[in-house]
Amino acid sequence: MTERIVIVGGGTGGTVLANRLSERLEPELDSGEVEVVLINDGEKQYYKPAYLYVPFDKKDVSDATKPITDLLPRDVQFRVDRVESVDTDRKQVTLASGGGLAYDQLVLATGANLAPDNVPGLAEGGHHFYGPDGAEALKEELAEFREGHLVLSVIGVPHMCPAAPVEFTLMADDWLRKRGLREDVEITYTYPIQRPHGLQSIADWVTPIFEERDVNVKTFFNVESVDPDAQRLETMEGKELDYDLLVGIPPHEGSDLIKEAGLGDSGWVDVDQHTMEAEHAEDVYAIGDAADVPTSKAGSVAHYEAGTVADRIATRIRGGVPTATFDGKTVCFIETGMDEATFVSFEYGSEPTMREPSKPIHWAKLGYNESYWLTARGLI
Amino acid sequence: MSESISPDETVDSRGAACPGPLMDLIGKIQDAEPGTVIELQTSDSGSKGDVPEWVDEAGHELLDTVERDDYWSIYVEKTD
């Protein structure tokens, strides 16, 4: 009988996993003992880190898109469909196109969704660079923005790519300086907790940089609503802040699919942080942003988690005892301007060591952006 | 006696690293009615300092912090 592995989601985690399973289970896939099915609700994968560069006119959103079929090996079946429900007792998913699909092993890689409507006025009053339309609209606003108050407000935590708001702020500062406009633009960065980043070491590193570059910082700043007409933010702490251009990192949500399946009340799958196995169901895993683990919602996390899950599934299918584990490894580049960057790497329970920003690291980041699709194909 | 506090809502953030517990509490308070008592359960020792600081900043009331076997219960009442 064929053992069917179903992957839901064709982002970084989904395609890396499919490629790794193809490598590890090649004989079983060839003989038909195993099949791997990847289901995604669209035909394309989007490389979201590229959107950071769009507002500064350094990249186009089309640079960040590839057909998922280009990223998968031939022995993985790809279906464009929407998984509407997961029944972990009967071990099957229900598809929007009709009918169910049984699984032996299920991996949820459904990502995180933007939820700007959760904050009244944000969709009307704010811009963001977390999606193609938002990034394009922000590019148009920035091109015309020559004076006033630019506010970068981190409204939702957790959110994808935790370093991106810091990067955007530092890039905006440098970009405005290079255009001779910085003296006419006040920049303010806000963050929900008592420091400007969730990781203490990044907060400690960026605080003097913001100071040197004349970026105002407001902490314990939890935006409750946005008044688009008055161009004002109002917070849960009773503060108000006027803006001329608002870049608001919107709240993120997990999936209703996950809540309804009883896999995680908040929409993120409750998993063992080392095995990525769901805590509330057998033979179910979650990787990437969909998994509720105490590290970043970042592509590198999805990448490393996918390797662990591929090893565990392959070992289990061959009758062995899985031993591969994920240690929380996270690697992120951090742009500190338009031509300098640094990078961090850390694991569960550890803090990154901060390095001096440099041009070579910036070029390495640009190089990685170009070669990202090799990651998605499981090659690096 | 802190054991006598009966929370209306409990937020289980055990296992979450900073700032997860504080953000979980903030999310819960945002949706709660004034007067609601919330118990935040956290195994992150940093939350013992961060949470009271935010509660004070936001003008809510910190009722108590209780050390359990392997986590802390922080009781907060939402004000108007």
Side-chain angles (χ1 to χ4, degrees):
Chain A
M1 215 173 94
T2 303
E3 182 107 359
R4 182 182 290 144
I5 304 162
V6 172
I7 304 167
V8 184
T12 302
T15 59
V16 172
L17 175 63
N19 281 283
R20 294 286 163 85
L21 285 170
S22 170
E23 277 171 28
R24 283 158 180 66
L25 294 170
E26 189 179 358
E28 290 84 352
L29 282 160
D30 284 349
S31 67
E33 289 170 66
V34 169
E35 65 176 15
V36 177
V37 182
L38 188 148
I39 304 169
N40 193 65
D41 60 2
E43 292 180 352
K44 293 176 180 169
Q45 182 179 110
Y46 302 93
Y47 179 53
K48 294 173 188 172
Y51 298 152
L52 175 65
Y53 300 88
V54 172
F56 304 107
D57 206 14
K58 295 293 182 188
K59 271 192 182 294
D60 191 88
V61 293
S62 61
D63 296 336
T65 306
K66 271 210 190 295
I68 290 173
T69 47
D70 286 2
L71 306 172
L72 294 178
R74 286 185 189 169
D75 50 14
V76 169
Q77 300 171 38
F78 177 52
R79 295 193 190 185
V80 177
D81 211 328
R82 175 174 281 276
V83 172
E84 296 201 317
S85 66
V86 178
D87 186 334
T88 57
D89 293 328
R90 297 171 68 193
K91 297 185 75 169
Q92 65 178 47
V93 298
T94 305
L95 301 171
S97 60
L101 180 68
Y103 66 80
D104 296 289
Q105 309 283 330
L106 175 69
V107 185
L108 296 170
T110 46
N113 302 308
L114 303 179
D117 293 338
N118 289 359
V119 176
L122 176 59
E124 299 82 6
H127 289 83
H128 68 81
F129 53 89
Y130 272 65
D133 295 342
E136 289 283 11
L138 180 54
K139 177 170 76 176
E140 289 176 21
E141 285 293 317
L142 270 179
E144 300 290 333
F145 188 68
R146 307 187 71 81
E147 60 181 356
H149 191 192
L150 170 62
V151 175
L152 182 297
S153 183
V154 179
I155 296 171
V157 176
H159 58 78
M160 292 181 270
C161 196
V166 166
E167 293 182 281
F168 180 87
T169 305
L170 296 176
M171 289 169 78
D173 166 71
D174 193 24
W175 189 74
L176 290 164
R177 284 179 200 278
K178 287 185 164 72
R179 299 178 70 218
L181 300 172
R182 184 63 177 90
E183 286 185 1
D184 299 320
V185 176
E186 182 181 6
I187 301 179
T188 298
Y189 172 96
T190 82
Y191 203 71
I193 62 170
Q194 75 284 17
R195 55 178 186 258
H197 194 272
L199 287 171
Q200 185 73 51
S201 51
I202 292 181
D204 291 345
W205 167 80
V206 80
T207 296
I209 296 176
F210 278 157
E211 202 174 316
E212 281 160 25
R213 291 165 67 164
D214 203 20
V215 173
N216 309 319
V217 176
K218 293 193 180 300
T219 56
F220 276 148
F221 196 93
N222 285 276
V223 175
E224 194 162 46
S225 63
V226 179
D227 183 338
D229 298 325
Q231 296 194 297
R232 182 174 299 146
L233 300 172
E234 292 167 358
T235 78
M236 287 176 69
E237 295 83 10
K239 299 169 191 165
E240 291 186 345
L241 184 65
D242 291 334
Y243 65 83
D244 293 300
L245 174 56
L246 171 64
V247 181
I249 309 305
H252 286 43
E253 285 182 337
S255 162
D256 288 341
L257 186 78
I258 289 164
K259 288 187 208 169
E260 288 159 11
L263 292 167
D265 291 341
S266 56
W268 316 113
V269 181
D270 294 329
V271 293
D272 179 297
Q273 67 182 38
H274 296 293
T275 66
M276 309 312 294
E277 293 175 8
E279 292 184 349
H280 307 301
E282 295 287 318
D283 299 319
V284 178
Y285 304 76
I287 56 175
D289 294 350
D292 190 11
V293 290
T295 190
S296 301
K297 294 199 180 302
S300 63
V301 172
H303 175 195
Y304 296 123
E305 289 171 344
T308 297
V309 169
D311 285 348
R312 294 187 72 83
I313 289 177
T315 301
R316 189 160 281 150
I317 281 177
R318 290 175 174 170
V321 176
T323 56
T325 55
F326 173 63
D327 60 4
K329 187 175 179 185
T330 309
V331 179
C332 299
F333 285 101
I334 302 175
E335 294 281 17
T336 57
M338 298 309 294
D339 55 10
E340 284 198 335
T342 184
F343 75 98
V344 292
S345 62
F346 51 97
E347 293 90 29
Y348 289 138
S350 76
E351 287 279 339
T353 302
M354 302 309 299
R355 298 167 178 84
E356 191 68 24
S358 70
K359 285 184 170 59
I361 300 176
H362 165 73
W363 298 331
K365 174 161 185 173
L366 296 187
Y368 179 77
N369 286 345
E370 294 302 313
S371 59
Y372 161 74
W373 301 108
L374 298 176
T375 293
R377 290 169 59 201
L379 295 171
I380 57 173
Chain B
M1 290 287 287
S2 52
E3 281 73 14
S4 66
I5 296 174
S6 300
D8 302 301
E9 307 254 11
T10 298
V11 181
D12 184 354
S13 294
R14 289 174 291 177
C18 178
L22 174 57
M23 293 311 302
D24 290 345
L25 176 70
I26 289 170
K28 183 62 81 175
I29 282 192
Q30 196 161 26
D31 297 332
E33 295 294 322
T36 303
V37 174
I38 298 166
E39 176 191 3
L40 174 68
Q41 298 176 341
T42 173
S43 51
D44 168 49
S45 61
S47 298
K48 281 188 300 172
D50 300 347
V51 171
E53 204 181 328
W54 178 77
V55 168
D56 184 49
E57 179 89 12
H60 302 297
E61 192 171 351
L62 182 73
L63 301 179
D64 207 351
T65 300
V66 180
E67 187 170 351
R68 313 279 184 198
D69 287 344
D70 54 359
Y71 68 97
W72 290 268
S73 290
I74 305 176
Y75 296 94
V76 178
E77 181 175 344
K78 177 171 177 169
T79 56
D80 288 329

